[in-house]
């Protein structure tokens, strides 16, 4: 189990097998049906990724509302929040590499949490995400992060059904899909309630079609309790209890 202290120290939790296995085939079908070329999005997407419009699908919405995911997102955000965006992403063969980066909080540190739900097995060969544990809250006086330095990055490995939940300020990046194996996933954004007005101003640009009016409360009684297995993994570990 990951406790609150560990979550806030590391800035992320990897929830192993969070998606019920019987959902995965349907989710992969939804992903493939929603794929649209770059020029069919309001803002063109990168050409070395496959993108899917699927935010209004009921099964996808169920993934976004899994209790353990909401518990970790709520713990990271620390106040009432809403589901802002869901988008399908998959690195193409020979594509998907990103430089390490932060997506950045909007109004205060930690007001956004992201989740990456994997529909296929993932690892170094097919473009698995890299993260830098603990990079979301630099120490006072610490030098600015060097996004070209990979010495502290950890590349994830795991199985279909895993979900990575992380603070938006955590340094992370996609990786090169070396062998072209499928690595379908959805990127989910949870925003604190004060960001709702600005969210509404950009729903068209982000192609948000789902209803975003629902609100979630931080699950103080749910995080880290039985049935909410928030786990994280030490560097160079592929099938440990942590990530």
């Amino acid at each position: 189990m990951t406790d609150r202290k560990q979550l806030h120290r590391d800035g992320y939790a990897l929830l192993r097998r969070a998606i019920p296995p019987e959902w995965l085939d349907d989710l992969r079908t939804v992903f493939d049906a929603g794929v649209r070329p770059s020029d069919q999005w309001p803002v063109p997407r990168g050409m070395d990724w496959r993108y899917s419009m699927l935010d209004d699908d009921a099964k996808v919405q169920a993934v976004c509302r899994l209790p353990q995911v909401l518990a970790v997102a709520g713990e990271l955000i620390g106040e009432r929040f809403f589901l802002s965006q869901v988008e399908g992403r998959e690195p193409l063969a020979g594509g998907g590499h990103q430089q390490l980066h932060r997506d950045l909080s909007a109004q205060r540190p930690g007001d956004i949490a992201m989740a990456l739900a994997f529909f296929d097995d993932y690892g170094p060969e097919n473009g698995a995400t890299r993260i830098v544990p603990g990079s979301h809250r630099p120490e006072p006086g610490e030098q600015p992060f060097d996004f070209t330095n990979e010495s502290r990055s950890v590349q994830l490995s795991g199985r279909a059904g895993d979900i990575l939940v992380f603070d938006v300020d955590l340094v992370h990046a996609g990786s090169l899909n070396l062998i072209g194996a499928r690595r379908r996933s959805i990127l989910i954004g949870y925003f604190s309630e004060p960001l709702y007005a600005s969210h509404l101003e950009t729903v068209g640009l982000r192609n948000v079609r789902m209803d975003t009016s629902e609100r979630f409360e931080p699950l103080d009684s749910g995080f880290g309790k039985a049935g909410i297995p928030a786990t994280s993994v030490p560097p160079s570990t592929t099938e440990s209890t942590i990530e």
Side-chain angles (χ1 to χ4, degrees):
M1 288 289 186
T2 295
D3 59 20
R4 287 181 172 87
K5 184 176 180 180
Q6 181 180 349
L7 175 65
H8 289 290
R9 181 194 69 207
D10 294 344
Y12 74 97
L14 182 60
L15 309 177
R16 299 290 189 184
R17 319 291 174 85
I19 302 173
E22 62 272 18
W23 292 10
L24 289 169
D25 283 343
D26 286 345
L27 289 166
R28 294 175 188 128
T29 298
V30 168
F31 183 103
D32 291 344
V35 171
R36 300 288 185 274
S38 175
D39 60 3
Q40 290 187 19
W41 291 79
V43 176
R45 300 314 203 239
M47 300 303 293
D48 59 343
W49 290 75
R50 183 179 287 119
Y51 292 89
S52 178
M53 296 182 187
L54 40 58
D55 66 334
D56 55 356
D57 178 81
K59 190 75 76 175
V60 168
Q61 287 291 311
V63 171
C64 299
R65 288 167 172 77
L66 286 167
Q68 60 267 51
V69 177
L70 293 176
V72 178
E75 178 64 28
L76 287 170
I77 294 172
E79 64 183 286
R80 205 170 188 222
F81 63 101
F82 65 97
L83 175 62
S84 173
Q85 184 171 1
V86 187
E87 182 175 283
R89 297 185 176 191
E90 179 183 18
L92 299 175
H97 177 79
Q98 297 173 331
Q99 181 173 296
L100 292 171
H101 63 279
R102 292 187 177 100
D103 291 333
L104 297 177
S105 300
Q107 294 181 359
R108 65 156 178 83
D111 60 7
I112 298 171
M114 308 299 293
L116 194 60
F118 297 97
F119 296 168
D120 298 293
D121 295 351
Y122 57 98
E125 297 83 7
N126 67 343
T129 305
R130 311 188 309 284
I131 60 171
V132 180
S135 57
H136 59 308
R137 297 290 177 269
E139 295 293 333
E142 184 177 329
Q143 291 295 314
F145 193 90
D146 179 1
F147 294 107
T148 66
N149 184 352
E150 294 274 352
S151 62
R152 292 171 53 198
S153 69
V154 177
Q155 189 162 31
L156 307 185
S157 293
R159 306 293 295 274
D162 292 354
I163 302 180
L164 171 70
V165 188
F166 60 100
D167 187 293
V168 72
D169 295 318
L170 188 76
V171 175
H172 65 283
S175 298
L176 189 68
N177 188 345
L178 296 170
I179 62 174
R182 302 298 303 268
R183 205 226 71 187
R184 288 162 288 193
S185 65
I186 54 172
L187 183 65
I188 309 165
Y190 300 99
F191 286 33
S192 65
E193 188 172 44
L195 300 179
Y196 194 63
S198 58
H199 155 80
L200 291 177
E201 292 173 357
T202 61
V203 290
L205 289 175
R206 293 180 290 119
N207 199 51
V208 176
R209 303 174 300 175
M210 64 185 180
D211 180 9
T212 61
S213 62
E214 186 176 2
R215 297 293 181 269
F216 306 101
E217 300 288 346
L219 303 179
D220 290 339
S221 62
F223 182 79
K225 303 296 184 181
I228 311 282
T231 58
S232 35
V233 174
S236 304
T237 300
T238 57
E239 274 304 318
S240 168
T241 57
I242 319 184
E243 159 61 28

